[in-house]
Every structure is written in C-alpha cells, then in structure tokens.
Amino acid sequence: MKSDKHQQTVVRVLDLEIGGGDFIIMAGPCSVETEQQLLSTAHHVRRGGAQILRGGAFKPRSSPYAFQGHGLAGLKMLAKARTETGLAIVTEVMSEEDVPLVAEYADILQIGSRSMENYTLLEAAARSGKPILLKRGMMATVGDLMKSAQIVLDNGNPNVILCERGIRTFDSTLRNTFDVAAIALLKQISHLPVIADPSHACGLRELVPSLARIGVAAGADGLIVEVHPTPEKAWSDGEQSLNFAEFDEMMASIEPYIALRGAAVPARTLETVG
Ligand code: PEP
Ligand code: MN
C-alpha cells in the first residue's frame, strides 16, 4: 500500500524507469515465432517509440493443441533482438523450474494471468532478483492481485509492476472486460507501477487503440501491446495483434493523452506515421 515510506516504486530496467516520469511502451508479438518475425517487429516498435520488447517463448495456452512456444530457442531469439535493437526484454515464465533459465535471458519476468496465484512460482521468480511484471488473474480481485504482489515483495524483490489485462465477467461479447477502475484504484492505493494491456483486455485489434487511450487516461504508467508483422498469420492471438501501421497509428493517438498527464512522450523516430 502507498504510505509515507512508499510513495511510489520506480522499477529500473536497463536505463528505463518504470513508474517514474516516462510513459513506458512494451510491444511485440504474443509468441516468438521466427527470427524474422521477431526481429522485424523489434526494429519497428523501437522506431515507433517502444522501449521494451514483449514475446512469449513459454506460452500458457488454454488448448493443449495450440502452439506452446519455442522455449529456449525463443529466449535466444529475444536475446538477439535485444542486442540488435537495445530494447529490454519482457517474457513469461510459467514454471518454477524454468525461472533460472528465463532469468538468464529476460530483463523482466512476466507472470501470466493463469499463474498469478501460483505462489511457489511467485517465490522463485522473486528470488531471481529480476523485476516482475505481474498480470492480474482473469478471475482475481484487485485485492488478490495485491496479495500476490506482496508475496514477491516479501521474498526480497521490491521490483514489481502490476498489469491489468481484463477480467472475466458475465459479458462474453469481448474476450475480457477491461477493468479501468482497477487501474485508477491501484494508482491510488498502491506504490507499484501499473501497466495496461489493451490487447488481452478486449481481444480485438480494432478496439486496442481506444483501450490504450483509456489506459493512459486512467493513470497507467505504460502499456503492453501485441504487434505482429502479419497478424492474420500469427500463431497466437492474431485477432488482437496490431500490424505495424496500426501500431504507429496507436502511438500517435495516445500522445496527446500522455502529454496531458505531463509525462514524457515516447520518442518516435519514424519519419512518417500511419
Ligand atoms: C500474453 O501476454 O501473451 C498472455 C498470455 O497474457 P495473459 O497471461 O494476460 O493471458
Ligand atoms: Mn497473447
């Protein structure tokens, strides 16, 4: 909880300050598929203003028949992308045994929605010393999320980033229900940085830019967004992935909202946008 002792936690990753003055963009494919897919996305999102590359090498899929990720080969592709672009890497770790391996390659360990209540995984991830991106469980309350975060803190790791990624409700029209009030609430009651995931929150690429703007307006410290060179061919979550032009449009459209908050706008080096 926020207190006199803990006004705001700033998580330092490479030269970035998450929860500090800068607005943070984590972008990349749902899954690491091929070197070409990952590297082209990494270069594009970096030019578009992202500071962190996302991409799953270990994928928690609801179906056992779906692509489960490349594992170590995927981690190596992420490391190559970091060397080529300078982007920091966030990637999911699904099991306690994999923590040392994933921590060797990642700058931030992602704990997925399905794992938020896996307490032995939380403890092992905490002890790796790497910053943790803790995604809210799809059936978890804000209180449950904060208790899971506390487990990481209690295991000696102060670098926790909370992530609202949509929850399951009675309304199944969209993949999930984006709980924006949770973002505003977490910013009031917790000292930890909060990231919004507009991709998983709705499941539809057409809605991702509006949800991104809403996330900024609600007070998030950054976004995590799925981007793919050819979303219609993606091995996972293609329906909610932005193509490169859509990512550029989203970045341009969130800028005024970031500026309104007085936060630094991510530096874009693209000559033309959209
Ligand atoms: C993901 O980030 O691709 C992912 C699996 O997210 P979540 O755990 O929120 O479903
Ligand atoms: Mn995904």
Side-chain angles (χ1 to χ4, degrees):
M1 300 289 279
K2 247 183 191 146
S3 66
D4 290 343
K5 196 163 145 236
H6 293 289
Q7 268 306 311
Q8 174 63 44
T9 291
V10 176
V11 176
R12 291 186 168 78
V13 178
L14 304 185
D15 60 344
L16 303 169
E17 294 192 344
I18 305 171
D22 296 341
F23 194 79
I24 299 294
I25 304 291
M26 310 181 180
C30 178
S31 303
V32 176
E33 299 170 6
T34 65
E35 202 167 285
Q36 156 69 19
Q37 170 243 17
L38 187 68
L39 293 177
S40 65
T41 308
H43 283 287
H44 188 88
V45 300
R46 183 187 55 76
R47 289 197 303 273
Q51 304 99 328
I52 300 179
L53 178 66
R54 63 147 290 144
F58 293 91
K59 294 302 303 176
R61 304 304 301 281
S62 299
S63 163
Y65 304 108
F67 176 57
Q68 306 292 313
H70 285 308
L72 176 58
L75 295 175
K76 288 187 172 162
M77 292 185 222
L78 287 164
K80 182 163 183 189
R82 174 177 45 210
T83 307
E84 278 199 10
T85 61
L87 292 169
I89 301 296
V90 58
T91 193
E92 178 159 357
V93 59
M94 283 173 60
S95 82
E96 209 182 322
E97 306 87 79
D98 293 334
V99 167
L101 179 71
V102 180
E104 229 181 273
Y105 291 88
D107 299 296
I108 303 173
L109 298 181
Q110 176 172 326
I111 302 292
S113 189
R114 292 157 192 78
S115 300
M116 191 207 80
E117 295 177 42
N118 182 341
Y119 303 115
T120 52
L121 173 62
L122 291 174
E123 289 170 21
R127 286 194 300 265
S128 75
K130 291 281 175 181
I132 306 293
L133 178 71
L134 180 62
K135 298 191 88 173
R136 180 179 178 184
M138 56 187 89
M139 304 288 281
T141 66
V142 169
D144 297 334
L145 174 65
M146 289 187 67
K147 280 178 238 163
S148 287
Q150 191 64 45
I151 289 172
V152 179
L153 304 182
D154 289 348
N155 278 273
N157 189 337
N159 296 313
V160 181
I161 305 155
L162 304 171
C163 177
E164 161 57 34
R165 47 78 76 204
I167 50 172
R168 285 208 171 146
T169 66
F170 67 88
D171 190 346
S172 56
T173 316
L174 296 171
R175 181 173 180 180
N176 287 300
T177 298
F178 189 27
D179 187 3
V180 281
I183 298 173
L185 176 63
L186 285 167
K187 286 306 298 175
Q188 286 205 2
I189 64 177
S190 168
H191 56 84
L192 298 172
V194 178
I195 297 287
D197 176 345
S199 310
H200 293 85
C202 67
L204 282 180
R205 85 170 60 86
E206 292 79 2
L207 294 182
V208 168
S210 357
L211 266 56
R213 292 192 292 275
I214 294 165
V216 179
D221 297 291
L223 302 173
I224 182 163
V225 185
E226 289 185 336
V227 180
H228 193 285
T230 47
E232 59 292 348
K233 294 193 187 140
W235 299 2
S236 61
D237 286 351
E239 336 63 59
Q240 67 191 35
S241 299
L242 303 176
N243 66 28
F244 292 171
E246 289 163 344
F247 174 71
D248 296 342
E249 280 166 29
M250 182 206 79
M251 289 299 290
S253 89
I254 63 175
E255 254 182 34
Y257 293 78
I258 298 172
L260 266 179
R261 289 185 17 193
V265 172
R268 289 187 286 134
T269 54
L270 288 180
E271 273 150 32
T272 53
V273 170

